[in-house]
Amino acid sequence: MLNRIAHITAIALPLLLSSTAYASPLDHTLDAIVSRNFTAMINNIAHKSPGTTGQIQCYSLPYGAIGFVSHILTYWTLFCMVKGIRPLMFWKPITKRLWGVWLAATMLVLTISVSVWTIVRCREDWQLLVIAVWKLTMSVTLGCVCLHRSQMLKRDSGGIGYQQVHGKSPGIDGKSPGIDGNGEEANPVRLKLLAWLPIYGCGIVVGMSGLVSLVHHNWHNHLVQIVTVAFAGAVFGTAIVGTALISAILALSGNGGGAGGFFAGGVFGFSTVVGLIGVLSAFYSDWILAAVMGNMVGQPSSDVAPLYYTYFVAKRLPFFAI
């Protein structure tokens, strides 16, 4: 039966597709599925044009303004998970354990699948491959933090629902549990969740190598220059101003004169540079890819739109934790 269906489909598809003057990438994909030629299916989804713009067509993850919004929402979701509050209703704590697990697990499955698909399609363009790996580590980090937060919910005293491990202090007598049921301090709870961040840190190191190479090869692009100057100004400008302020404050207070103040200012400046690169590099990649593509909105082409929007929507799932 299955063979007969496949045979009929193989005959019908060319007849249906022959009515159009242009064979879209989706046509090649359907043919490849019918023939079970998955290598052709991967390679023919996007027709690459000459140059970097053509090469980047293999990239099926959000970028540009859409990617920028996506990363803002991702950072907000991550912040809320660390705080233990609902992204949509930040004045309320997260209390539904199983719902949070399902949201995070579904998000991980979908985003990892699309990311791996993109990595395979961009395997001949190492810059885009490592950028896709970078975005994969962001999804994995967010998913792990969400799962971990859900696992940290404890049964309430009635055994009916779950209580947030909210980091509240113990009871009035200093011994009995607080209203969260265990009196666990807030900082250790948050540090446990932040322990997942090194995964994303490794992704930044890997991805930035490809992004810098992409910028180098497209430095003639005026938009690439503007985005790079803005990114460098935000990172190093903030670090320089902060270092100068810290050094001046310590010198005026008499607690950090001479080498001590200079060292403290240097440590602050270096930490600021690292922190800002960690936070802003995702936005930088969005706008660089948009500048290279000449598509600042980041609207996907029809051949990658299903994957593109699947990734975008899937990454929003933890946003609905309650």
Side-chain angles (χ1 to χ4, degrees):
M1 177 63 71
L2 293 176
N3 291 333
R4 181 174 297 178
I5 293 174
H7 179 69
I8 294 174
T9 304
I11 296 174
L13 278 175
L15 295 176
L16 291 173
L17 297 176
S18 62
S19 61
T20 61
Y22 170 72
S24 70
L26 182 58
D27 301 342
H28 295 283
T29 304
L30 293 173
D31 291 339
I33 292 175
V34 172
S35 63
R36 298 182 183 180
N37 188 348
F38 294 104
T39 301
M41 180 172 61
I42 292 172
N43 291 333
N44 286 325
I45 282 185
H47 294 293
K48 293 184 179 181
S49 305
T52 306
T53 302
Q55 293 174 345
I56 209 172
Q57 290 175 358
C58 71
Y59 191 79
S60 53
L61 303 179
Y63 64 93
I66 297 176
F68 181 78
V69 172
S70 177
H71 282 124
I72 289 177
L73 295 176
T74 296
Y75 283 144
W76 172 250
T77 304
L78 185 62
F79 172 79
C80 290
M81 289 297 156
V82 173
K83 294 284 291 183
I85 56 179
R86 305 178 187 183
L88 279 178
M89 296 180 285
F90 54 86
W91 57 91
K92 293 184 178 182
I94 298 173
T95 56
K96 303 296 183 181
R97 182 178 184 178
L98 186 58
W99 176 246
V101 170
W102 276 109
L103 289 177
T106 304
M107 185 273 288
L108 279 172
V109 171
L110 292 176
T111 55
I112 290 176
S113 298
V114 177
S115 297
V116 171
W117 181 270
T118 302
I119 291 170
V120 172
R121 296 183 65 216
C122 296
R123 62 191 180 276
E124 296 180 358
D125 305 300
W126 74 269
Q127 296 96 333
L128 299 174
L129 185 151
V130 296
I131 291 174
V133 171
W134 174 12
K135 303 309 168 69
L136 171 62
T137 61
M138 174 179 276
S139 297
V140 171
T141 301
L142 177 62
C144 290
V145 169
C146 294
L147 285 173
H148 197 168
R149 169 54 73 181
S150 297
Q151 292 300 318
M152 294 172 70
L153 296 177
K154 306 296 183 181
R155 280 286 186 183
D156 59 20
S157 57
I160 300 175
Y162 290 91
Q163 289 273 351
Q164 180 68 243
V165 177
H166 216 14
K168 297 190 182 300
S169 59
I172 297 176
D173 58 3
K175 297 180 180 179
S176 61
I179 64 172
D180 65 342
N182 60 11
E184 190 170 354
E185 293 295 331
N187 288 336
V189 169
R190 293 169 186 169
L191 287 176
K192 290 177 183 178
L193 294 172
L194 293 176
W196 294 103
L197 289 182
I199 297 176
Y200 180 54
C202 294
I204 293 175
V205 174
V206 172
M208 282 297 288
S209 65
L211 191 63
V212 169
S213 176
L214 201 62
V215 169
H216 173 71
H217 285 92
N218 291 273
W219 190 246
H220 60 276
N221 187 319
H222 186 57
L223 288 174
V224 170
Q225 297 176 16
I226 293 175
V227 173
T228 301
V229 170
F231 173 72
V235 172
F236 295 102
T238 302
I240 292 172
V241 172
T243 299
L245 287 176
I246 292 296
S247 300
I249 292 172
L250 290 175
L252 292 174
S253 64
N255 296 325
F262 179 79
F263 177 77
V267 171
F268 175 83
F270 177 78
S271 301
T272 301
V273 169
V274 173
L276 288 177
I277 289 177
V279 173
L280 299 180
S281 57
F283 302 133
Y284 179 50
S285 67
D286 291 330
W287 296 117
I288 287 296
L289 291 173
V292 172
M293 282 291 290
N295 181 4
M296 300 308 290
V297 174
Q299 183 176 359
S301 57
S302 59
D303 52 319
V304 299
L307 295 173
Y308 187 100
Y309 288 117
T310 295
Y311 182 92
F312 182 89
V313 172
K315 210 167 181 181
R316 307 285 76 79
L317 290 179
F319 206 74
F320 299 95
I322 57 177

